Amino acid sequence: MEEEELQDLVLGEETKFLTTTTTTKLELTVDEVIEDYIGSFGFSQLLHVFLVSLAWIFDSQNTLVAIFADAQPSWTCKGGGSWCSTNSTDIGGSTGTVCGLKSGTWEWVGGKGGSTIAEWGLVCDHKFRAGIPSSLFFLGSLIGSIVYGRLADAYLGRKKTVMIACILTSITTFLTSLSPNVWVYAFLRFLNGLVRSGIGICCLVLSTETVGRKWRAQVGQYGFFFFTLGFLSLPLIAYPTKTNWRNIYMIISVLPLIYAAAILPFVSESPRWLAVKGRRKEAMEVLNKFARLNGKKLPKNLTLISPTSSLSNEKNTTKTKTLWSATWAAKRMITIMISGFVVGFVYYGIQLNVENLSFNLYYTVALNALMEIPAVFMGSVLLSFTDRRLLLSTSAYIAGASLIMCAFISVGWVQLTAEAIGFMAASTAFDVLYVYCVELFPTNVRNFSVSMLRQALMLGASLSPLLVVVGRLSSSVSFLLFGGLAMFSGFLMLLLPETRNSPLYETLEQQEEEEKLCSVSDSSSLELGKQ
């Protein structure tokens, strides 16, 4: 009898223990759930990143379409030959200038529809008008980055912002193809730059916020493969439509609309953003979906910690800091924006400046696009074991040295090789800089900080077309300036902190506190080492 009572007592205690453990809440952050239960990078995240990154294709197309639409066309004397050049003190032929030639003695190769320059006569006294549409496009991207960064962080989230950006990009791209003159064209390019700027920002953040710490850098680079595919597709679209620049705009206007309607509905919102906004139930639904696709199951007693509320309880803060009110974050942002300005100027400038090389435009653009593939691959591999600052700085120095070489080389293939190496290095710096920015700032200002970097990149890009126009007069000047600025950016990047293997923080207060603790810990270790 006593033995039966003892067994009942033991069973009762076990039941009580099991009940307690199943009813006790398991409170974790999104980062801990991903790392401990879902997996750092499983099938669900691979599929998610793939679907998100597809948007980079038409983001690239809209950004770089001007290489062909606004290209400097060749001309020839009517009837062939070079007899009309004798009527001018300028050098005649397709490589010379039409300024000073009598009207009716020459014609554009391929007709007036081949580019905006040919159609609207953007040469001679009007040559600087040719750079205005591209400059306004990047200026629009700069302004759009401010708007989209705020929308994605504070109101709409990453997914809805991408949806709006895709639809508006499709509309403005199509309208651009109907431009009656250069001023309407420039205005529509400005609008196109403004509305498409949310695509790259949100896609980068949406990809990196769904994976674990180990895969963050690689995923950040993943989208640039698709950017390269978009870049590589341009010569293939432009060549069949080379007699009418309007057709290339019509073709690339279709992709954003298809993506918004057929692919984006299958993309999930960032669980980190949902958690920060207090929408923990929705965040849990996304995390459960990821876990199921990875063949795993989250504990039933799991609840998410609200980063903002837990931090305010611990520190009893009465006011949440903004990026600009936190001194350390403001200094960091200003430094990365200056670096971004230079990188944007060089990266986009090299691509637009290909017409000033002594080589076929279609082959040159295709080669540059192909050079982005090893750049992205190397960036992905090197980011897994290399310090961000060292990789960025080295890439900038290589780009600078290669571009300066282009200024002193006149042999076609040699100059093209040096330019391709410089572009590959600049592309690596451009890609890694985005990933670096994601790691430098916490979730509640991450999209805003990436948008600020985007603004700096686009501001630099908006000035590069003007230097390209100057390069039509002297290619050496443009290459020397691009190269010198690239080296300057390499120095600036060394002033930023290292982020390799650091966690993604949720709020500015949390990051400030944790980084101070890490700093104190490192100082203590150094002192102990000296002793």
Side-chain angles (χ1 to χ4, degrees):
M1 190 69 177
E2 289 180 2
E3 187 175 344
E4 290 179 2
E5 289 178 357
L6 184 60
Q7 288 178 351
D8 290 341
L9 183 62
V10 171
L11 288 172
E13 290 295 328
E14 288 180 354
T15 304
K16 184 179 179 181
F17 173 76
L18 290 172
T19 304
T20 303
T21 54
T22 53
T23 55
T24 302
K25 288 183 178 180
L26 178 61
E27 296 184 331
L28 298 174
T29 63
V30 172
D31 208 27
E32 290 169 335
V33 174
I34 291 173
E35 295 283 0
D36 300 338
Y37 291 96
I38 294 176
S40 190
F41 189 65
F43 174 75
S44 61
Q45 290 112 317
L46 176 63
L47 179 62
H48 175 83
V49 171
F50 172 75
L51 294 178
V52 170
S53 299
L54 286 172
W56 284 91
I57 294 175
F58 48 84
D59 183 67
S60 170
Q61 290 174 339
N62 279 271
T63 302
L64 302 171
V65 65
I67 294 174
F68 295 102
D70 303 346
Q72 179 73 26
S74 299
W75 63 275
T76 184
C77 298
K78 282 192 174 180
S82 58
W83 61 270
C84 64
S85 63
T86 58
N87 296 321
S88 172
T89 56
D90 298 307
I91 299 172
S94 61
T95 59
T97 173
V98 298
C99 302
L101 295 181
K102 291 181 180 180
S103 178
T105 62
W106 62 275
E107 62 186 353
W108 296 113
V109 176
K112 288 187 176 181
S115 80
T116 58
I117 292 177
E119 181 167 335
W120 295 317
L122 307 180
V123 292
C124 303
D125 293 340
H126 297 153
K127 61 179 174 291
F128 282 101
R129 291 183 185 179
I132 292 175
S134 289
S135 291
L136 287 179
F137 172 86
F138 290 118
L139 187 61
S141 297
L142 185 156
I143 297 171
S145 297
I146 303 172
V147 177
Y148 280 120
R150 183 64 178 164
L151 281 176
D153 274 340
Y155 302 106
L156 298 180
R158 287 62 164 127
K159 180 180 174 179
K160 288 181 180 178
T161 304
V162 173
M163 175 72 78
I164 292 171
C166 288
I167 294 172
L168 293 178
T169 296
S170 180
I171 294 170
T172 54
T173 304
F174 180 77
L175 290 176
T176 302
S177 70
L178 306 177
S179 303
N181 56 58
V182 66
W183 304 114
V184 173
Y185 176 71
F187 176 68
L188 288 170
R189 286 296 285 160
F190 169 80
L191 288 182
N192 186 238
L194 189 149
V195 299
R196 54 64 67 180
S197 59
I199 296 172
I201 299 169
C202 294
C203 286
L204 175 67
V205 176
L206 192 53
S207 295
T208 54
E209 288 188 340
T210 58
V211 300
R213 187 185 308 176
K214 180 182 176 182
W215 290 93
R216 206 166 56 213
Q218 286 74 14
V219 164
Q221 292 283 289
Y222 191 70
F224 293 110
F225 276 110
F226 291 88
F227 188 92
T228 302
L229 289 179
F231 189 12
L232 194 56
S233 71
L234 280 176
L236 302 177
I237 299 171
Y239 189 78
T241 62
K242 62 182 178 180
T243 58
N244 192 339
W245 64 268
R246 298 175 187 274
N247 289 339
I248 191 172
Y249 276 104
M250 289 183 182
I251 292 170
I252 67 174
S253 70
V254 177
L255 283 179
L257 202 59
I258 294 174
Y259 180 82
I263 297 175
L264 199 54
F266 297 99
V267 173
S268 300
E269 180 56 89
S270 165
R272 293 181 188 273
W273 181 81
L274 291 169
V276 167
K277 301 306 290 184
R279 296 160 61 176
R280 283 175 284 178
K281 183 179 178 181
E282 294 172 68
M284 280 300 301
E285 289 174 359
V286 174
L287 293 171
N288 272 304
K289 176 184 174 182
F290 285 153
R292 281 196 307 273
L293 289 174
N294 283 355
K296 298 182 180 181
K297 194 173 182 180
L298 299 182
K300 292 183 179 180
N301 60 333
L302 174 63
T303 59
L304 291 178
I305 298 172
S306 177
T308 51
S309 62
S310 62
L311 196 67
S312 61
N313 289 333
E314 290 174 14
K315 299 187 70 176
N316 196 29
T317 55
T318 57
K319 185 178 180 180
T320 303
K321 287 184 177 180
T322 64
L323 188 145
W324 300 115
S325 65
T327 305
W328 64 272
K331 288 179 179 178
R332 193 173 292 185
M333 191 74 254
I334 291 169
T335 304
I336 201 170
M337 284 180 70
I338 296 173
S339 300
F341 171 83
V342 177
V343 170
F345 183 86
V346 174
Y347 175 74
Y348 286 110
I350 294 173
Q351 295 175 78
L352 297 174
N353 200 46
V354 292
E355 66 180 62
N356 292 324
L357 290 169
S358 305
F359 216 80
N360 180 277
L361 178 63
Y362 295 94
Y363 288 135
T364 305
V365 173
L367 178 62
N368 273 357
L370 288 172
M371 293 304 286
E372 288 233 45
I373 296 175
V376 174
F377 177 74
M378 285 194 302
S380 300
V381 173
L382 292 172
L383 276 170
S384 62
F385 62 86
T386 307
D387 287 352
R388 276 62 168 138
R389 289 183 303 179
L390 178 63
L391 180 57
L392 281 166
S393 184
T394 303
S395 300
Y397 283 130
I398 293 173
S402 300
L403 293 172
I404 290 172
M405 285 177 61
C406 288
F408 300 101
I409 298 172
S410 57
V411 181
W413 275 104
V414 180
Q415 187 188 49
L416 181 62
T417 302
E419 188 271 351
I421 293 172
F423 177 70
M424 183 175 68
S427 177
T428 301
F430 183 90
D431 297 350
V432 174
L433 192 60
Y434 269 112
V435 177
Y436 192 30
C437 186
V438 167
E439 296 179 341
L440 281 172
F441 300 95
T443 300
N444 67 330
V445 295
R446 185 169 297 124
N447 221 97
F448 177 74
S449 61
V450 173
S451 74
M452 293 298 291
L453 170 61
R454 182 82 164 195
Q455 290 171 52
L457 287 163
M458 293 305 104
L459 181 60
S462 68
L463 298 178
S464 62
L466 302 179
L467 186 56
V468 172
V469 174
V470 173
R472 290 169 185 165
L473 304 175
S474 175
S475 60
S476 297
V477 172
S478 59
F479 281 118
L480 282 172
L481 282 172
F482 283 134
L485 285 170
M487 289 194 159
F488 173 69
S489 69
F491 166 74
L492 281 179
M493 290 165 188
L494 295 173
L495 303 177
L496 292 164
E498 183 53 52
T499 59
R500 186 162 69 98
N501 295 325
S502 64
L504 283 183
Y505 299 103
E506 308 297 349
T507 64
L508 285 162
E509 292 88 351
Q510 180 196 18
Q511 183 162 348
E512 183 175 13
E513 183 181 357
E514 293 291 333
E515 288 187 350
K516 280 182 180 178
L517 289 172
C518 290
S519 179
V520 171
S521 176
D522 291 341
S523 299
S524 300
S525 299
L526 282 172
E527 289 176 6
L528 287 171
K530 288 179 181 179
Q531 292 175 0

